[in-house]
């Protein structure tokens, strides 16, 4: 079945550092790929998505590129802020899956001054 | 827009009792809602898909008689954990599928503790 593997956290960075959170997936066909963010005490929010190979999703300075050849969707941001501290989830929605999402385990990011 | 609420945000119940969790789409109608369960340091696990006016579709391994789902209106789905046991203690999260049908909007979750 479909699965998502993302790097374990927590990840601790200084403000303005470069962020990469790795995400790889296993799925048949061409799934849609997502990054969700969960701020403390809040529900998951869609951060960005990509629906086909080589698509780049971007939002709030975060980017991720759908790489079919490496089955990856790594999240990057050039300069993190304290306000980016949250838990980040990589997820996929398989072809014909009826919008059902398969999530990775989540990576906690802590950004310090 | 696209706000989803859950009630209660946390609940403690005694073993053997039942507890109901509500999921509401506050500013849009949702024909489809999803219920997830999240264990500490683990991913969200889809439990069931709830469709308004019809029976929920449960994922493999989820006991439908234990986790009763009712989606009686376009803005409300409920999850009832029946005869709760300590192993049912978890974080339960719902989501609602937006009108365009391509994005899920998540509630803040409900922490259930069974003593």
């Amino acid at each position: 079945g479909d699965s998502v593997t993302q790097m374990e956290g927590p990840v601790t960075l200084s403000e303005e550092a470069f962020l990469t959170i790795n995400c790889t997936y296993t799925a048949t066909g061409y799934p849609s790929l997502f990054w969700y963010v969960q701020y403390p005490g809040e529900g998951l929010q869609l951060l960005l998505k990509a629906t086909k190979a080589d698509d780049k999703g971007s939002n709030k300075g975060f980017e991720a590129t759908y790489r079919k050849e490496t089955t990856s969707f790594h999240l990057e941001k050039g300069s993190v802020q304290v306000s980016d501290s949250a838990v980040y989830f990589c997820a996929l929605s398989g072809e014909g899956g009826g919008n059902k999402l398969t999530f990775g385990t989540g990576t906690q990011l802590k950004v310090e001054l | 827009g696209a706000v989803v609420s859950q009630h209660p945000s946390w609940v403690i119940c005694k073993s053997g009792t039942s507890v109901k969790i509500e999921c509401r789409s506050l500013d849009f109608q949702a024909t489809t809602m999803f219920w997830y369960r999240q264990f500490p340091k683990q991913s969200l696990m889809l439990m069931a898909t709830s469709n308004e006016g019809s029976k929920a579709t449960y994922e493999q391994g989820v006991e439908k008689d234990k986790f009763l789902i009712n989606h009686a209106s376009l803005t409300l789905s409920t999850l009832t954990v029946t005869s709760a046991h300590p192993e049912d203690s978890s974080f339960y999260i719902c989501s609602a599928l937006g009108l365009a049908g391509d994005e899920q909007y998540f509630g803040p979750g409900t922490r259930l503790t069974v003593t």
Side-chain angles (χ1 to χ4, degrees), chain A residues 10 34 36 38 41-46 49 87 89 97-106 108, chain B residues 32 34 36 38 41-46 49 59 91 93 97 101-109:
Chain A
F34 307 83
Y36 283 86
Q38 185 176 31
E42 299 183 18
L44 275 73
Q45 302 172 26
L46 178 64
K49 68 178 180 182
V87 180
F89 291 90
N99 296 299
K100 291 196 289 187
L101 291 170
T102 300
F103 284 89
T105 53
Q108 184 173 11
Chain B
T32 302
F34 301 89
Y36 297 84
Q38 185 180 25
K41 301 187 185 300
Q42 295 189 29
S43 64
L44 282 72
M45 180 191 74
L46 179 65
T49 302
E59 295 300 300
F91 196 56
I93 301 172
L97 193 63
D102 62 351
E103 183 172 345
Q104 292 184 32
Y105 299 92
F106 286 80

Side-chain angles (χ1 to χ4, degrees), chain B residues 6-7 20-21 34 37 41-42 44 47 49 51 56 60 67 70-71 82 87 92 95 101 103 106-107:
Chain B
Q6 281 184 242
H7 178 79
K20 180 185 286 187
I21 302 170
F34 301 89
R37 184 173 178 177
K41 301 187 185 300
Q42 295 189 29
L44 282 72
M47 298 175 66
T49 302
N51 293 297
Q60 192 172 10
F67 298 100
N70 187 306
H71 194 158
T82 63
E87 56 265 31
Y92 293 88
S95 70
E103 183 172 345
F106 286 80

Side-chain angles (χ1 to χ4, degrees), chain B residues 35 58 75 96:
Chain B
W35 285 96
Y58 290 82
T75 59

Side-chain angles (χ1 to χ4, degrees), chain B residues 43-99:
Chain B
S43 64
L44 282 72
M45 180 191 74
L46 179 65
M47 298 175 66
T49 302
S50 169
N51 293 297
E52 187 267 338
S54 64
K55 291 184 178 180
T57 302
Y58 290 82
E59 295 300 300
Q60 192 172 10
V62 178
E63 298 177 62
K64 60 182 179 182
D65 294 331
K66 179 167 189 62
F67 298 100
L68 300 179
I69 291 171
N70 187 306
H71 194 158
S73 79
L74 288 172
T75 59
L76 173 65
S77 177
T78 60
L79 168 68
T80 301
V81 183
T82 63
S83 186
H85 290 282
E87 56 265 31
D88 299 325
S89 298
S90 193
F91 196 56
Y92 293 88
I93 301 172
C94 75
S95 70
L97 193 63
L99 292 174

Side-chain angles (χ1 to χ4, degrees), chain A residues 4-58:
Chain A
V4 175
T5 302
Q6 62 181 106
M7 62 188 288
E8 290 189 18
V11 173
T12 303
L13 296 174
S14 298
E15 202 170 41
E16 298 184 2
F18 184 87
L19 169 71
T20 299
I21 301 178
N22 291 335
C23 171
T24 57
Y25 68 90
T26 301
T28 55
Y30 293 86
S32 295
L33 302 175
F34 307 83
W35 276 101
Y36 283 86
V37 57
Q38 185 176 31
Y39 298 103
E42 299 183 18
L44 275 73
Q45 302 172 26
L46 178 64
L47 181 60
L48 53 85
K49 68 178 180 182
T51 57
K52 59 183 187 293
D54 298 325
D55 265 3
K56 178 186 285 187
S58 62

